[in-house]
Amino acid sequence: MSEKLVDARDTYCPGPLMELITHMKKAEVGDVLELLSTDEGTVNDVPEWVDKIGHEMVSSEEADGVWHLKIRKMK
Amino acid sequence: MSNRISVICITGTREKLQMGAMVASVGAATGADVTVFLSMNALPYFVKDSTEVAPSEGEMGRVMDAEPGVPDYKELFQQAVELGDAKILPCPMVMDVLKLSKDDLMDEVGPVTGLTKFLSDAEGSQVFTF
C-alpha cells in the first residue's frame, strides 16, 4: 500500500476526475491517492464518483485555492 | 439495472463535441453503459490522424481553444472507451456519403451501426443529443 500524488491543477472539468480514474486503474487496493485540483466542481464530482464506484473518501481540504482530496482504492 | 446513456453527436462544432465528450467520458467512468452515435457533421472529426479542429459556435469555443487546461474532446472520447467501455458507433449513411471505411476512423470508433440497431439499443436509456 502506498500514497500517490495526482496533480491535476489547472485542468478543467472533467480533467481532474479523468486523471484520478486513470491513476486509480493503475493503483492497488488499499493505496491512497491524493488529487490536487483547482477546479471547484471537483469537490462534489469526485466524492460522487467515489461513492458510485465504491472507493473511500479519506479527506477533502482546500488550501490557497487548491483542493486536496484523498481517496482510498477499495476494489 | 445499470444506468444506460445514449449520446447522439451530429454537430461539427467545438462546443457540441466537447459537451458530448464530457457526458460520454464522465458517464462511462461512473459505471454507466454509454453508447455514442456519430452522424452528420460530427463524424468527419473522428477520421484517423485528422488534425482538423472543429470550428467554434461562439465565444466559449474560442476561449476553450486558447485554454490548455480544457481536455481535448478526442482524448475524452478515447478515455470513455478505455476507462469505461463506452461504444462509439459511426453512422453508415454518412460513411457512404463521404466514402469512408471503418479503417479511416479512429481506432476507438466502431463497429459501423445503423439506426435500427442503435434505436433498439437506446430504448429506455437517457438520451443526450449534441
Side-chain angles (χ1 to χ4, degrees):
Chain A
M1 280 179 277
S2 60
E3 286 222 12
K4 292 187 182 92
L5 192 69
V6 181
D7 189 349
R9 284 178 293 177
D10 300 324
T11 67
Y12 302 138
C13 175
L17 177 66
M18 303 316 283
E19 281 280 310
L20 173 67
I21 294 169
T22 303
H23 285 82
M24 196 60 100
K25 289 249 170 189
K26 297 180 206 149
E28 289 175 25
V29 172
D31 285 356
V32 173
L33 273 66
E34 180 175 358
L35 175 69
L36 303 188
S37 174
T38 46
D39 172 60
E40 195 171 347
T42 302
V43 187
N44 297 322
D45 280 351
V46 167
E48 183 72 25
W49 176 79
V50 167
D51 187 47
K52 274 205 170 182
I53 299 298
H55 299 308
E56 183 193 333
M57 276 306 299
V58 177
S59 61
S60 171
E61 286 163 10
E62 190 254 318
D64 300 323
V66 180
W67 279 268
H68 298 248
L69 287 88
K70 287 190 181 180
I71 302 103
R72 181 175 289 113
K73 180 167 174 145
M74 298 304 282
K75 59 184 196 179
Chain B
M1 200 183 84
S2 71
N3 185 16
R4 290 163 56 236
I5 294 175
S6 304
V7 180
I8 303 175
C9 290
I10 52 171
T11 315
T13 61
R14 174 73 200 260
E15 288 90 336
K16 294 237 168 60
L17 288 169
Q18 188 77 26
M19 201 64 221
M22 288 165 74
V23 171
S25 58
V26 174
T30 314
D33 211 343
V34 174
T35 302
V36 180
F37 187 71
L38 301 176
S39 189
M40 300 300 169
N41 294 317
L43 185 55
Y45 293 99
F46 294 82
V47 169
K48 198 181 281 181
D49 303 325
S50 163
T51 51
E52 200 179 340
V53 178
S56 304
E57 280 178 20
E59 188 58 25
M60 193 62 214
R62 287 188 285 277
V63 172
M64 285 194 298
D65 278 341
E67 279 279 356
V70 178
D72 178 70
Y73 60 79
K74 278 187 190 171
E75 276 174 32
L76 287 175
F77 278 118
Q78 284 164 340
Q79 285 174 329
V81 174
E82 284 160 16
L83 301 176
D85 293 327
K87 292 186 189 66
I88 304 182
L89 311 175
C91 165
M93 183 277 281
V94 176
M95 295 183 68
D96 287 345
V97 171
L98 295 179
K99 311 275 187 284
L100 291 171
S101 79
K102 164 71 190 75
D103 293 339
D104 296 322
L105 301 175
M106 282 162 53
D107 293 339
E108 290 78 9
V109 177
V112 179
T113 301
L115 256 186
T116 310
K117 174 80 166 80
F118 170 71
L119 287 178
S120 167
D121 290 349
E123 203 175 314
S125 68
Q126 295 184 80
V127 180
F128 299 89
T129 306
F130 298 103

